[in-house]
Amino acid sequence: MIAAVVLAAGASTRMGRPKALLRHGERSFVACAVELALAAGCAPIVVVTGAQAIAEPLAATVVDNPSWPLGQLSSLQRGLAALADPSGVLVLTVDRPHLRPTTIVALVAAFRAEPECVWQPEHAGRRGHPLIWPAALLPALRALPPDGDPRPLLREHAALRRGLPVDDPATLDNLDRPEDLARLR
């Protein structure tokens, strides 16, 4: 079972309005992330909120992170706490609604082939997002300080890190500011 955690807890201060609720076509950014996880066959899917509530119905469990000001890791940990024993966890953020479903499907397939590894897409020679964390590293993620950073954990386990070459520039593209949103549209 590959679960998914969608991080949607931030205040979106650079955007000036909640990114999770922005629209990409007919759907909100958060609904786009949930649909990507569904397309890749992930289950269960947990959406972590914080600064703003999400009222729309989603095919996911929604949990609140009252510690969201501590940073993304606190939200990831809140999402992990809502999961039983997944073999891996796909971590999606709401600021990439334009990711190609084929990218996520290929990433999940790569993880299934080597489920002990951390998988992330690579585009134009750079590592991007989302990541899939294997079950063996989930206890270490949970044990980090909630205001911490998981990158040292990635460096510590560099031998387990795998990149999947993809032709999807959205893997490198954070939509953080109004001008980023204008570029998307």
Side-chain angles (χ1 to χ4, degrees), residues 119-141:
W119 281 93
Q120 67 187 119
E122 289 182 353
H123 177 74
R126 294 175 45 211
R127 290 182 174 148
H129 290 274
L131 272 76
I132 301 180
W133 290 87
L137 293 182
L138 297 181
L141 270 174

Side-chain angles (χ1 to χ4, degrees), residues 41-134:
C42 294
I45 301 168
V46 176
V47 173
V48 183
T49 62
Q52 71 273 332
I54 296 174
E56 74 179 289
L58 297 169
T61 300
V62 178
V63 297
D64 182 57
N65 176 20
S67 300
W68 68 267
L70 294 176
Q72 263 191 359
L73 182 56
S74 73
S75 294
L76 175 55
Q77 290 170 331
R78 179 69 180 98
L80 293 175
L83 298 172
D85 292 314
S87 61
V89 177
L90 170 69
V91 181
L92 293 155
T93 59
V94 294
D95 56 1
R96 289 180 180 86
H98 53 315
L99 281 166
R100 295 178 185 156
T102 54
T103 297
I104 307 306
V105 168
L107 195 62
V108 167
F111 176 81
R112 285 193 171 118
E114 286 187 73
E116 68 284 349
C117 296
V118 176
W119 281 93
Q120 67 187 119
E122 289 182 353
H123 177 74
R126 294 175 45 211
R127 290 182 174 148
H129 290 274
L131 272 76
I132 301 180
W133 290 87

